[in-house]
């Protein structure tokens, strides 16, 4: 079993980054609410700030639910653990993966990659900041079903051709 995990700095950002950002945005939100009584047009920054806080926290809640911070992989399965504030362990067999989405498969290499297990109805995601990301991705692609592999390869080729055309 090979073990893949995020660096200390990445763990801090992905686990606690929203708390700091929400704190600062909340201070600005409170001051904007106060100034609405002075000038009516402070409604716009208040609404925008509230929307940013909502989107930011919705994104981090999804990260907490779907992203393990430790992934152990061998030739048959992946064991995902160390979810935020959870002791759950998810075992995903490569043969059960029916979809890979996001990241390089969507044309945006900086976005996370999501694995879908059709039999257990499980979704797991990981960022490219996970230690030895290329090695983990290679291992996943090596053992997923051949039909899915070919489908992904064709999608990457067509996306690359679209970029070349303009």
């Amino acid at each position: 079993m090979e073990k893949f995990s995020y660096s200390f700095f990445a763990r801090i950002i992905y686990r606690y980054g929203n708390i700091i950002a929400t704190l600062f945005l909340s201070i600005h939100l409170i001051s904007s609410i106060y100034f609405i009584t002075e000038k009516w047009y402070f409604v716009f920054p208040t609404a925008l700030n509230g929307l940013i806080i909502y989107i930011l926290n919705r994104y981090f809640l999804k990260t907490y639910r779907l992203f393990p911070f430790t992934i152990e992989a061998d030739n048959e399965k992946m064991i995902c653990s160390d979810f935020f504030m959870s002791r759950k362990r998810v075992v995903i067999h490569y043969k059960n993966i029916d979809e890979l989405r996001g990241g390089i498969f969507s044309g945006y290499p900086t976005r996370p990659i999501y694995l879908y297990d059709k039999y257990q109805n499980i979704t797991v995601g990981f960022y490219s900041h996970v230690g030895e990301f290329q090695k983990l991705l290679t291992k996943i692609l090596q053992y997923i079903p051949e039909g899915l592999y070919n489908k992904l390869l064709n999608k990457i080729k067509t996306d690359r051709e679209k970029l070349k055309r303009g």
Side-chain angles (χ1 to χ4, degrees), residues 101-120:
R101 192 182 327 162
I104 62 169
F105 307 115
S106 65
Y108 300 98
T110 56
R111 290 188 181 169
I113 292 177
Y114 296 95
L115 304 170
Y116 298 93
D117 183 332
K118 61 185 172 186
Y119 292 107
Q120 299 180 61

Side-chain angles (χ1 to χ4, degrees), residues 47-113:
L48 181 63
N49 205 354
L51 180 67
I52 291 170
I53 290 172
Y54 170 76
I55 290 170
L56 177 74
N57 284 299
R58 191 180 79 184
Y59 173 77
F60 272 91
L61 287 173
K62 181 179 180 182
T63 301
Y64 295 157
R65 196 179 79 247
L66 299 178
F67 289 74
F69 286 93
T70 302
I71 301 169
E72 296 176 55
D74 63 11
N75 297 343
E76 295 177 14
K77 65 187 176 298
M78 293 174 33
I79 301 173
C80 304
S81 60
D82 195 17
F83 290 86
F84 185 71
M85 292 190 159
S86 175
R87 294 188 185 269
K88 75 177 179 179
R89 288 174 52 99
V90 176
V91 178
I92 298 177
H93 292 271
Y94 298 120
K95 65 183 179 184
N96 296 341
I97 295 173
D98 66 331
E99 188 176 2
L100 283 168
R101 192 182 327 162
I104 62 169
F105 307 115
S106 65
Y108 300 98
T110 56
R111 290 188 181 169
I113 292 177

Side-chain angles (χ1 to χ4, degrees), residues 28-29 31-49:
H28 189 265
L29 180 68
S31 66
S32 295
I33 291 171
Y34 173 75
F35 284 112
I36 287 176
T37 60
E38 303 292 323
K39 302 282 184 183
W40 68 270
Y41 52 81
F42 278 98
V43 167
F44 300 115
T46 303
L48 181 63
N49 205 354

Side-chain angles (χ1 to χ4, degrees), residues 9-25 56-57 60 64 84:
F9 183 70
R11 282 178 186 255
I12 295 297
I13 295 297
Y14 290 133
R15 284 189 173 179
Y16 306 110
N18 75 315
I19 296 170
I20 296 166
T22 301
L23 180 67
F24 285 121
L25 289 170
L56 177 74
N57 284 299
F60 272 91
Y64 295 157
F84 185 71

